[in-house]
C-alpha cells in the first residue's frame, strides 16, 4: 500500500510539472533562425539548454524565418498561436524592415498588432528591439529605434532595447556580411535577453 501511495504521489508530481510547463514561441528573422550557423549553436538552442539547466520544463518553438519582416510575422502569427498555444511569445522582428527603409510607423503598427494577437490568445509578450547602423541617417535610425520603445510603452510589455547590444559593430562577433552575428556572439545574445525573459517564465 505504501508503495502504491508513493507511486501515485510521484505520478501526481509529474503531472503537475507537465501542467506547469509552457511553450515559448519565438517569431523572428535570420538572427533567431541562425542564418549562416549550425542552428545547434544559435542563441535559441542556447536558450533551450539554459532552461533545462535552470530547471524549467518549457518547450521552445522557433518559428523564425530568414528575411522575414514585421508584416510577414504579423501575417503568419495567428496560425502559430493556434497551433502552439504559447504562454510566452518573443518577437524578434523589424531588422529587415529597417534595412529596406520601411516606415517606422508601419513597423510600430505591425508590432502592436502582433502584441494584441498574442495577448488575446493568453500569451505574455517580450519584444526584442533593434537598431540600425549610422549610415542610414540619424533621423531614420532614431525613428526606427523609437518604434520599439513606443510600442513597448504603449502596450506595457517588457523590452530588450537592443538585442545586438555588445555584438553589432564588433567585426569579430559578426559574420563576414556584417549583418549576422557569428557563432561566438550567440552566448552574448542570450545574455542580453535572459534577465528580461526569466521573470516571464
Amino acid at each position: 500500500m505504501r508503495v502504491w501511495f508513493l507511486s501515485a504521489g510521484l505520478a501526481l508530481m509529474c503531472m503537475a510539472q507537465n501542467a506547469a510547463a509552457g511553450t515559448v514561441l519565438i517569431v523572428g528573422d535570420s538572427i533567431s533562425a541562425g542564418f549562416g550557423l549550425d542552428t545547434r549553436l544559435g542563441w535559441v538552442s542556447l536558450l533551450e539548454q539554459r532552461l533545462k539547466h535552470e530547471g524549467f520544463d518549457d518547450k521552445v518553438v522557433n518559428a523564425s524565418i530568414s528575411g522575414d519582416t514585421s508584416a510577414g510575422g504579423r501575417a503568419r502569427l495567428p496560425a502559430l498561436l493556434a497551433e502552439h498555444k504559447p504562454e510566452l511569445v518573443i518577437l524578434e522582428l523589424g531588422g529587415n524592415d529597417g534595412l529596406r527603409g520601411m516606415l517606422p510607423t508601419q513597423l510600430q503598427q505591425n508590432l502592436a498588432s502582433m502584441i494584441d494577437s498574442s495577448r488575446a490568445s493568453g500569451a505574455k509578450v517580450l519584444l526584442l528591439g533593434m537598431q540600425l547602423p549610422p549610415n542610414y541617417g540619424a533621423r531614420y535610425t532614431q525613428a526606427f529605434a523609437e518604434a520599439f520603445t513606443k510600442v513597448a510603452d504603449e502596450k506595457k510589455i517588457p523590452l530588450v532595447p537592443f538585442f545586438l547590444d555588445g555584438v553589432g559593430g564588433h567585426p569579430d562577433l559578426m559574420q563576414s556580411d556584417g549583418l549576422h552575428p557569428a557563432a561566438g556572439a550567440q552566448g552574448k545574445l542570450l545574455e542580453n535577453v535572459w534577465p528580461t525573459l526569466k521573470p516571464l517564465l
Side-chain angles (χ1 to χ4, degrees):
M1 182 66 73
R2 179 183 231 174
V3 173
W4 185 89
F5 277 119
L6 286 172
S7 299
L10 287 171
L12 287 171
M13 286 176 63
C14 290
M15 288 174 64
Q17 286 180 347
N18 289 335
T23 296
V24 178
L25 174 65
I26 301 174
V27 184
D29 53 32
S30 56
I31 296 176
S32 295
F35 177 85
L37 304 173
D38 180 333
T39 55
R40 293 173 296 182
L41 303 177
W43 82 270
V44 176
S45 292
L46 297 182
L47 171 60
E48 292 179 295
Q49 296 171 30
R50 175 70 64 87
L51 290 171
K52 291 178 182 177
H53 179 73
E54 301 213 5
F56 293 100
D57 294 323
D58 299 78
K59 174 185 176 182
V60 177
V61 174
N62 190 1
S64 302
I65 298 176
S66 293
D68 205 8
T69 62
S70 63
R74 179 178 180 176
R76 59 194 181 91
L77 181 60
L80 292 170
L81 294 173
E83 178 182 358
H84 300 291
K85 299 176 175 56
E87 276 66 42
L88 173 62
V89 175
I90 300 176
L91 297 177
E92 184 272 301
L93 287 167
N96 290 313
D97 296 57
L99 295 176
R100 298 178 187 185
M102 295 181 180
L103 291 175
T105 52
Q106 187 61 56
L107 167 61
Q108 188 174 334
Q109 290 172 12
N110 289 335
L111 292 174
S113 176
M114 285 187 281
I115 292 166
D116 290 342
S117 296
S118 299
R119 281 179 159 174
S121 76
K124 301 174 184 177
V125 184
L126 171 60
L127 180 61
L128 307 187
M130 293 295 293
Q131 296 178 17
L132 293 173
N135 58 294
Y136 279 79
R139 184 175 179 180
Y140 184 73
T141 54
Q142 181 177 350
F144 177 83
E146 287 177 350
F148 295 92
T149 303
K150 287 178 179 178
V151 74
D153 289 344
E154 175 190 340
K155 300 297 181 180
K156 295 180 171 55
I157 63 164
L159 168 71
V160 175
F162 183 30
F163 181 36
L164 298 186
D165 187 33
V167 174
H170 296 267
D172 56 320
L173 295 177
M174 301 295 287
Q175 296 182 42
S176 59
D177 61 9
L179 296 174
H180 297 95
Q186 301 302 308
K188 174 60 176 171
L189 296 182
L190 176 58
E191 294 308 320
N192 288 344
V193 175
W194 182 250
T196 309
L197 188 160
K198 185 177 180 180
L200 301 175
L201 298 172

